[in-house]
Amino acid sequence: MAAQAVALANVQTYLNRIEQLYAQIRDWMAVLEPNVRFSETVVVLDEGATGGYEAKSLEVVRSGKPALRLVPRGRYMVGAEGRVDVRSRLGRETLVWVREGGPAVGFRFLPGDGPVPEEVRGQAMFPGIAEGWAWVDEAGRSLRHLDLGVFRDRILSSLGSDA
Amino acid sequence: MPNPLDPIWDAYQTARNALKVVRRCLIVAEIGRAKALSNTRFYALTDQQCLDLLDQAEAESDNSVVLALYATFEAGLRDHAAQQAALLHAAKQPSPGFGVALADTFSEYCARSRMDNLTDLFASVVAQATLAAVGNIRTYRHWLAHGRSGKQPPTVAPLDAFQTLTTFLQDAGLT
């Protein structure tokens, strides 16, 4: 039961971090493109560790440019504490929430805890990365802390312009 | 020693970029759609049909690269274990021929068996969290390869698979 309570708390933390991410992106977009419109829809996630739960996706409708959709992908993943994908007609970019340094994150399944794993954190996999949401820079094989510059120059330029 | 995972990662990046180029051919007005897409499966499809195909291909590509990275990682561990056969030549009791025979037997065993769970052999040099994460990648690989039946295990993004498996190989002195 204790393990299940930890899993539910982890999900709630993940949902709170998603809310913070969406609030930040609303603020940035309102500055970059004042005519932008937002809407939210509910998606259902079903992770083995947690069972089913609801999360929100955020749609960003832009004037004359491809819309963006931020889609939660789940709390339990190797190497991070949650993932949100950013999608448009031009492709997909990935955001993950990591602690400082992006420590290795693995899971152990202990007897009696059923499908709920114990989280194990280790050495920094991405030294220098700050705690919070980070953009997965696949070409650079690294993470980049999500700030306005990364959002504008990496994510919007990849998914949100016409080329 | 080069990282055996590098060629897989590079090919994955090329595939991702190629998918992005096709999307641009559909969406960017200045690109001549018909010419760009001629002699491909996209030519006769609507834009939305093409985008759906590309989304599917992207998702499959993300899963396939995790499978390929893990298979190559596993082969590296297996090869390293098999190379230790020569050390068995030192077994001289009851005769020098025993060590040679033992080495041959071990080599044959390595060639025949799957040896698909060797990570714990490296527990003395690889951190616990990395060992656990590699075990999770293995579980996720099995879940994907066996039709995604049963509860979904913790998921694995491509870069996390690459980074975690590379860290293991580095700690084990195999790259």
Side-chain angles (χ1 to χ4, degrees):
Chain A
M1 284 305 290
Q4 188 64 43
V6 170
L8 293 175
N10 284 340
V11 166
Q12 190 54 54
T13 301
Y14 170 56
L15 295 175
N16 293 342
R17 288 168 179 163
I18 290 173
E19 289 287 349
Q20 291 162 6
L21 171 68
Y22 290 175
Q24 184 65 79
I25 286 177
R26 283 172 186 268
D27 287 348
W28 287 336
M29 287 303 297
V31 172
L32 294 170
E33 299 177 21
N35 292 330
V36 74
R37 288 181 291 115
F38 303 96
S39 63
E40 292 183 347
T41 54
V42 173
V43 295
V44 177
L45 298 171
D46 189 0
E47 302 184 75
T50 63
Y53 64 93
E54 292 184 345
K56 289 178 189 165
S57 71
L58 176 68
E59 185 103 18
V60 183
V61 181
R62 309 160 67 213
S63 181
K65 293 181 179 174
L68 301 179
R69 187 168 183 233
L70 287 90
V71 186
R73 292 292 304 275
R75 161 64 176 79
Y76 282 88
M77 61 179 294
V78 169
E81 297 185 20
R83 169 175 170 178
V84 170
D85 282 357
V86 189
R87 309 195 64 91
S88 84
R89 288 159 59 89
L90 284 164
R92 181 263 299 157
E93 299 291 338
T94 301
L95 302 175
V96 293
W97 198 95
V98 291
R99 292 177 187 266
E100 186 176 354
V105 178
F107 303 93
R108 285 196 195 113
F109 292 85
L110 303 176
D113 285 347
V116 181
E118 176 194 47
E119 214 157 65
V120 189
R121 294 192 196 92
Q123 68 202 86
M125 305 282 275
F126 300 98
I129 190 77
E131 179 173 290
W133 288 103
W135 169 63
V136 176
D137 178 5
E138 290 187 336
R141 302 178 180 186
S142 66
L143 298 181
R144 298 278 301 273
H145 184 70
L146 185 66
D147 56 20
L148 175 59
V150 168
F151 178 71
R152 181 189 58 219
D153 301 336
R154 299 302 188 129
I155 296 175
L156 269 187
S157 70
S158 170
L159 300 178
S161 61
D162 283 343
Chain B
M1 200 182 306
N3 183 350
L5 306 182
D6 278 344
I8 298 168
W9 188 256
D10 287 343
Y12 170 68
Q13 286 301 295
T14 301
R16 288 263 294 148
N17 286 346
L19 291 171
K20 185 174 274 189
V21 170
V22 179
R23 288 177 186 275
R24 287 178 183 162
C25 291
L26 295 168
I27 290 165
V28 179
E30 291 78 12
I31 300 175
R33 183 190 195 282
K35 203 166 190 175
L37 300 182
S38 66
N39 297 312
T40 72
R41 68 182 308 190
F42 303 113
Y43 184 75
L45 302 178
T46 66
D47 284 357
Q48 191 55 53
Q49 287 172 324
C50 293
L51 291 169
D52 290 345
L53 283 177
L54 294 168
D55 286 346
Q56 288 169 19
E58 201 165 62
E60 284 304 320
S61 172
D62 286 354
N63 290 334
S64 296
V65 75
V66 174
L67 297 179
L69 287 168
Y70 194 80
T72 301
F73 165 81
E74 199 173 69
L77 301 193
R78 193 168 51 235
D79 290 349
H80 178 72
Q83 286 162 9
Q84 308 314 307
L87 299 175
L88 296 171
H89 287 159
K92 305 270 187 222
Q93 290 296 332
S95 69
F98 174 79
V100 174
L102 186 60
D104 289 346
T105 301
F106 180 70
S107 294
E108 285 171 20
Y109 171 76
C110 292
R112 269 201 325 269
S113 71
R114 292 172 56 213
M115 296 183 73
D116 64 346
N117 196 8
L118 298 178
T119 53
D120 283 349
L121 291 177
F122 299 86
S124 59
V125 290
V126 176
Q128 285 299 306
T130 305
L131 268 177
V134 168
N136 300 143
I137 295 170
R138 181 172 181 266
T139 302
Y140 186 68
R141 173 250 174 260
H142 288 349
W143 183 75
L144 288 175
H146 299 156
R148 305 175 200 198
S149 59
K151 285 187 178 295
Q152 176 185 293
T155 58
V156 182
L159 183 63
D160 288 311
F162 175 83
Q163 197 66 32
T164 301
L165 297 173
T166 295
T167 297
F168 186 112
L169 292 173
Q170 287 170 341
D171 289 352
L174 298 180
T175 186

